[in-house]
Amino acid sequence: MPALDLAWIRSQFPALAQTVGSHPAIFFDGPGGTQVPQRVIDAISDYLIHSNANTHGAFATSARSDATITEAHAAMADLLGCDPDEIVFGPNMTTLTFAMSRAIGRELSTGDEIVVTRLDHDANVAPWRALEERGVVVRAADIDVEDCTLDMNDLARQITPRTKLVAIGYASNAVGTINDVAEVTRMAHAVGALSYVDAVHYAPHGPIDVRAIDCDFLACSPYKFFAPHMGALYGKREHLTRLQPYKVRPAATQTPDRWETGTKNHEGMAGVTAAIEYLAELGQKTGATGDRRAALLAAMTTIQAYERGLIKTLIAGLLEVPGLTFYGIREPECFAQRTPTVSVRIEGHTPRELAKYLGEHGIFTWDGNYYALSLTERLGVEDSGGMLRIGLAHYNTAAEVDMLLAALGEIAV
Ligand SMILES: Cc1ncc(COP(=O)(O)O)c(C=O)c1O
């Protein structure tokens, strides 16, 4: 596996040079949103200087805006492995998923069932629970609390001949567990149900191939993979053309435009293209030849391998910290089943106190439930501050992991 050029990578992200007092800033808050390369900032500025207009006008800046939108769809399609008209952009994954649940709900009737999981972020739960007011029954698949993996037997029990949709996370934004989304999609299709994959947490950590998964929908959030604050959704063309969105009458009737209601975030889309170009260049630097899709697959595979190295150091170190409770997969032989996102608690300190202490030392982590509410409730930590989440990205280093472990070692004793 080719090595990542960490010096080049870090030089691309101006935010990484920040300090907190005398401490270098260490960004372990990636699952909440990642930093952006300089070219993303430049692309946004460039759009606002040279292309700022609404769409489909008879003048230059409007034509450039149309081109910006077309390029962003093509770039996202290369990242996910689909066609550009199967990509829908929106403000964020949550809003896109509510829009899609409203549209899918139009096809459902009383007694139809939807399966969600207890591992998931609420953005892939609440939009489906909202359909309960139409008489839809929502069933939740359980987890194995020992290692925070999905209980596949329970999932199989929850899927019935009445199931119309299975909502599944690609990876948990709290404990990093990666689900076998291709298998879950197969289980959904076996009863004629759709699969709706939440890839928000997984997207910055590995390659995605929606055709290989065969999912019907896959949602992600570019701001978690080095782009601006936006959401993006893949939908199989047959669904995006069949389902009826709630839209204004003069808006386009063709897909994907009819799903992108109102004026779009053009500068955000310029930034998304630039972030994907950054990843493609990273892939080329690892030796990839061929088109942008091939470069992106190479980039994400190399990132995955690099991050697995960091996970080993991080988890081995955490398990040595006195009084630490670790939630999730901890055996090195199972690390292919997790992202570099871990959640812990340390006896005698609330997760908030830990995050605050680390923050004062320039180390940015999250505390609470990060909207993975069903999980924190299932683990019994919701009423006592949730967990401390440490989320690594490919721009993090082994030295930063060591600094985190040293800081936790100090507060734990
Ligand atoms: C796994 C997961 N799903 C969904 C979301 C919601 O994404 P958005 O903020 O784009 O609505 C998040 C955000 O943290 C997430 O981590």
Side-chain angles (χ1 to χ4, degrees):
M1 181 61 64
L4 284 186
D5 182 349
L6 251 288
W8 177 79
I9 287 168
R10 291 183 64 87
S11 75
Q12 301 296 300
F13 291 83
L16 301 185
Q18 291 180 71
T19 53
V20 176
S22 60
H23 304 283
I26 299 180
F27 292 85
F28 288 155
D29 61 337
T34 46
Q35 301 308 308
V36 300
Q38 181 65 48
R39 74 184 78 189
V40 169
I41 301 164
D42 294 343
I44 294 170
S45 306
D46 188 63
Y47 172 83
L48 291 171
I49 295 167
H50 298 113
S51 314
N52 194 9
N54 220 316
T55 54
H56 306 314
F59 53 95
T61 48
S62 181
R64 281 187 216 124
S65 286
D66 291 340
T68 302
I69 293 166
T70 303
E71 284 162 18
H73 284 84
M76 266 312 294
D78 279 350
L79 188 70
L80 301 183
C82 60
D83 292 328
D85 67 330
E86 294 176 303
I87 295 292
V88 177
F89 281 107
N92 50 57
M93 177 275 186
T94 306
T95 306
L96 284 168
T97 304
F98 269 112
M100 211 37 85
S101 84
R102 275 196 298 273
I104 290 172
R106 289 175 140 181
E107 292 192 335
L108 302 184
S109 22
T110 303
D112 284 341
E113 296 178 1
I114 291 182
V115 177
V116 299
T117 87
R118 292 197 199 287
L119 197 52
D120 268 330
H121 188 287
D122 216 48
N124 206 20
V125 177
W128 310 115
R129 288 218 177 271
L131 297 177
E132 285 173 329
E133 65 193 22
R134 301 177 67 108
V136 170
V137 176
V138 176
R139 302 163 68 112
D142 205 359
I143 59 159
D144 179 346
V145 287
E146 280 307 304
D147 61 0
C148 297
T149 53
L150 199 57
D151 180 340
M152 293 298 277
N153 292 327
D154 190 47
L155 180 68
R157 274 192 297 276
Q158 301 303 336
I159 297 175
T160 76
R162 304 218 63 166
T163 307
K164 298 294 179 219
L165 183 139
V166 178
I168 175 84
Y170 206 141
S172 157
N173 69 315
V175 288
T177 313
I178 296 174
N179 293 315
D180 186 347
V181 288
E183 172 61 11
V184 174
T185 296
R186 197 198 54 70
M187 291 161 75
H189 288 175
V191 295
L194 303 172
S195 78
Y196 193 100
V197 177
D198 171 3
V200 172
H201 178 63
Y202 178 81
H205 302 297
I208 296 178
D209 186 338
V210 291
R211 298 261 189 265
I213 300 167
D214 196 28
C215 52
D216 297 282
F217 299 94
L218 181 140
C220 55
S221 308
Y223 73 92
K224 314 274 193 186
F225 53 85
F226 325 114
H229 290 97
M230 287 194 66
L233 174 73
Y234 155 79
K236 276 185 180 165
R237 186 178 298 107
E238 62 184 279
H239 303 315
L240 293 182
T241 46
R242 183 191 77 257
L243 290 164
Q244 292 301 317
Y246 287 82
K247 65 181 273 297
V248 292
R249 288 174 300 159
T253 48
Q254 79 276 15
T255 290
D257 303 59
R258 65 193 194 126
W259 295 99
E260 295 176 344
T261 49
T263 302
K264 309 170 212 263
N265 179 352
H266 308 157
E267 58 272 34
M269 291 191 196
V272 170
T273 304
I276 292 173
E277 284 293 334
Y278 156 75
L279 288 170
E281 186 177 349
L282 192 155
Q284 281 152 2
K285 282 172 120 14
T286 66
T289 53
D291 60 10
R292 183 166 60 186
R293 170 80 181 147
L296 289 167
L297 288 175
M300 299 317 298
T301 307
T302 314
I303 283 174
Q304 197 170 48
Y306 170 72
E307 290 181 350
R308 278 194 193 140
L310 290 184
I311 300 174
K312 274 194 196 145
T313 316
L314 174 66
I315 295 182
L318 286 173
L319 295 177
E320 299 282 304
V321 174
L324 182 139
T325 305
F326 185 91
Y327 299 91
I329 295 170
R330 69 183 67 191
E331 295 78 19
E333 60 276 17
C334 300
F335 284 172
Q337 264 177 276
R338 60 147 42 260
T339 68
T341 296
V342 301
S343 279
V344 299
R345 285 174 66 102
I346 296 180
E347 214 180 306
H349 302 278
T350 64
R352 186 70 181 190
E353 283 164 9
L354 295 171
K356 193 163 179 300
Y357 176 83
L358 292 172
E360 284 159 5
H361 289 73
I363 304 173
F364 306 161
T365 57
W366 279 108
D367 64 283
N369 63 28
Y370 357 101
Y371 286 21
L373 180 62
S374 310
L375 178 65
T376 51
E377 285 176 345
R378 183 72 180 83
L379 294 174
V381 295
E382 177 58 23
D383 294 337
S384 55
M387 301 175 285
L388 176 78
R389 179 178 71 183
I390 303 150
L392 277 50
H394 75 294
Y395 49 58
N396 290 124
T397 66
E400 290 179 328
V401 171
D402 288 343
M403 282 190 256
L404 168 94
L405 292 172
L408 283 181
E410 278 161 25
I411 192 172
V413 287

